[in-house]
Amino acid sequence: MNTIAIAIDGPAGAGKSTISRKVAETLGYIYVDTGALYRAIGLGLVAAGIDTDNTEAVEELLKTTKVNIVYIDNEQRVMLNGKDVSEKIRTPQVSMMASKCSALPVVRTFLLELQRKLAREHNVVMDGRDIATVVLPDAKIKIFLTADANARAARRYDELILKDPNIKFEDVLSDLQQRDYNDSHRAIAPLKPAEDSIMVDTTDNTLQQSIELITNIVKQKL
Ligand code: DC
């Protein structure tokens, strides 16, 4: 069977995951959040006390690491060595480690085939940083979502404050800027649009407006 892929890339906080999930739901495709895979590796590294400058130790750890995705009630759950870590990966510390480890070729290679296999077996809406450029260059529709850093940090802050009342906006903003820098300046598969990506800026949109906008673009192009 020939499957259809929709690639949605962009920086943290641009609205990728909520928008992609909704588009997938509307079309009856599965939603694949590839950031969760890098976060699972990041969590593994944090738990093992390994930093990313020790590439040998990272490589050793990957030999005994198993990451996969399962769907429970249509929701993506990320498994690290057989344990569901879907909640544990959503901390600022794991976000930063995910960004750092995602610059390592060994980590990107480790996760590439899993992502492509999902797209071979299912119709997917896949979100990430390099989906249109590297993972699925033949995706039928490619969208690059952006928004200015302050707007993205404000959205992220609203999510994080629910879990940690002491979180500071300035810290959320500077973490996000650091991740933007890491993700777009790494040597392999940096965050960038493909030549044929459709650029969408969500700065002044409510989430609902962005969902409608992207859903319309996708319906038109399919
Ligand atoms: O989408 P996210 O914020 O959950 O992603 C966490 C980190 O993973 C992000 O800072 C960079 C990395 N990542 C990547 O390098 N390539 C992807 N396709 C998805 C995420």
Side-chain angles (χ1 to χ4, degrees), residues 4-8 16-33 71 74-76 122-127 143 211 214-215 218-219 222:
I4 300 174
I6 298 173
I8 302 194
K16 293 189 304 291
S17 60
T18 313
I19 296 169
S20 303
R21 187 179 289 115
K22 282 283 175 199
V23 172
E25 203 180 290
T26 306
L27 299 174
Y29 291 10
I30 65 165
Y31 163 53
V32 184
D33 164 11
Y71 289 85
N74 243 356
E75 271 298 302
Q76 170 182 311
H122 309 269
N123 292 330
V124 293
V125 178
M126 189 174 283
D127 86 17
I143 292 171
I211 291 170
I214 304 295
T215 306
V218 166
K219 281 186 176 160
L222 269 182

Side-chain angles (χ1 to χ4, degrees), residues 186-217:
R186 63 179 177 232
I188 45 161
L191 166 66
K192 64 168 184 200
E195 275 180 14
D196 49 351
S197 291
I198 301 164
M199 304 294 292
V200 178
D201 188 321
T202 68
T203 307
D204 298 319
N205 292 357
T206 63
L207 198 50
Q208 196 50 40
Q209 287 170 329
S210 297
I211 291 170
E212 280 165 25
L213 182 69
I214 304 295
T215 306
N216 287 337
I217 294 176

